[in-house]
Amino acid sequence: MKIISQTKAHGGVQGVYSHLSTSCRCDMTFAVFIPPQAREAPCPVVWYLSGLTCTHANVMDKGEYRRMAAELGLIVVCPDTSPRGADIPDEKDNWQFGSGAGFYLDATQEPYAKNYRMYSYVAEELPALIAAEFPADMARQAIFGHSMGGHGALTIALKNPQRFKSCSAFAPIAQPSTAGWSKPAFEKYLGKDEASWRSCDATSLIDDGYRFPEFLVDQGTSDGFLDDGLRPWLLEAACAKAGIPLKLRMQDGYDHSYLFISSFMDDHLRWHAERL
């Protein structure tokens, strides 16, 4: 692991790091905020997964999480959203696929299967590195995210309910296997057999029997992607049918930006801290 930067913030340390990933077969960059309480004892870990076009830096620069994380004693880990590099297959003119759009799944189709293994990276490889290198209490973990990352948080939590104490999301893509802006990416990553997509789709996982104790979701009513891409009512219906408590808060007038996310960041961190 290489240290790119370490900067004091709210009594803790905001760091940016990189390492050679065996899952993605390239150098991966990630951010970690260590609260001041970690000087005394290991602290619980909250994972934040970013959305389409983002890197680790978007939430680090705009998410306004450090003050509350320092108050609550939470380590916040912010991975990248995809593998990157000159040798990584990509569609440079397509912001909904490739670089910045890994969808937190493991691709099965060539030429993407070699590098686009973001599920394995976020769910397995990076947690092992965090456990080895940081003062983290890995028995207490939570996960949340935004848009593509909100969906990623839901799927990873549903597949690993024994690991995560809580899960929340900002404007998640509720059913990417049928949304216009994500369905083409699923076909390129996973092939034409749509039945194989179900294991990477939150609402399908719930319909297929996967369970999690509860979810918190915030969604802006003025989000331009609401009706065609995000469709939280699909998640609401799946949770209701499965008996999963879902606290869906439709936030009047808010859009899809980090102004929306930062407005409710404290609420989400408190939600996770209570359950951790």
Side-chain angles (χ1 to χ4, degrees):
M1 188 181 75
K2 298 177 181 178
I3 299 173
I4 296 174
S5 65
Q6 288 181 323
T7 308
K8 188 171 182 178
H10 295 282
V13 176
Q14 176 65 69
V16 179
Y17 310 90
S18 69
H19 71 120
L20 180 59
S21 168
T22 57
S23 300
C24 300
R25 300 190 183 186
C26 65
D27 286 331
M28 295 292 286
T29 302
F30 62 97
V32 181
F33 175 71
I34 303 295
Q37 294 89 334
R39 291 193 291 268
E40 304 297 328
C43 291
V45 178
V46 181
W47 296 83
Y48 178 89
L49 307 185
S50 291
L52 288 164
T53 75
C54 291
T55 70
H56 69 282
N58 294 74
V59 69
M60 188 179 74
D61 294 341
K62 304 175 185 178
E64 301 181 20
Y65 58 82
R66 279 173 288 271
R67 180 189 59 80
M68 184 55 64
E71 178 180 321
L72 298 171
L74 301 174
I75 292 174
V76 180
V77 181
C78 309
D80 202 347
T81 55
S82 74
R84 298 181 190 272
D87 297 329
I88 306 297
D90 188 18
E91 293 182 4
K92 297 188 183 301
D93 296 328
N94 184 0
W95 63 274
Q96 298 170 340
F97 181 77
S99 181
F103 279 94
Y104 303 100
L105 53 76
D106 284 350
T108 60
Q109 303 300 300
E110 298 300 338
Y112 309 108
K114 176 182 177 181
N115 304 104
Y116 286 86
R117 299 185 56 79
M118 289 302 295
Y119 175 83
S120 291
Y121 178 69
V122 171
E124 299 169 10
E125 183 180 0
L126 191 53
L129 183 63
I130 296 298
E133 299 287 346
F134 297 91
D137 181 356
M138 302 302 283
R140 293 186 291 162
Q141 295 186 66
I143 191 166
F144 70 144
H146 171 232
S147 194
M148 177 186 72
H151 176 264
L154 294 171
T155 60
I156 292 173
L158 285 163
K159 291 181 180 181
N160 300 276
Q162 74 290 346
R163 182 184 306 176
F164 297 100
K165 304 293 186 183
S166 56
C167 176
S168 70
F170 299 103
I173 305 174
Q175 195 177 86
S177 64
T178 62
W181 67 343
S182 48
K183 185 175 181 179
F186 269 49
E187 182 172 333
K188 292 172 187 176
Y189 286 138
L190 301 173
K192 295 184 179 297
D193 180 11
E194 295 186 15
S196 69
W197 303 0
R198 297 185 66 82
S199 64
C200 302
D201 184 291
T203 55
S204 296
L205 285 170
I206 293 170
D207 288 342
D208 291 345
Y210 288 79
R211 296 292 181 264
F212 199 76
E214 59 182 336
F215 296 119
L216 167 66
V217 171
D218 275 316
Q219 171 65 62
T221 61
S222 295
D223 190 321
F225 301 110
L226 176 59
D227 292 333
D228 296 327
L230 304 173
R231 304 175 296 168
W233 48 86
L234 298 178
L235 178 64
E236 187 175 35
C239 286
K241 182 178 179 181
I244 299 175
L246 167 65
K247 189 174 186 179
L248 174 60
R249 307 191 305 183
M250 299 300 295
Q251 303 290 1
D252 186 48
Y254 284 90
D255 62 10
H256 200 68
S257 72
Y258 267 91
L259 296 175
F260 157 62
I261 296 168
S262 64
S263 296
F264 301 101
M265 178 64 76
D266 284 1
D267 288 357
H268 283 245
L269 291 175
R270 290 192 188 100
W271 162 275
H272 293 299
E274 289 172 359
R275 288 151 182 80
L276 291 168

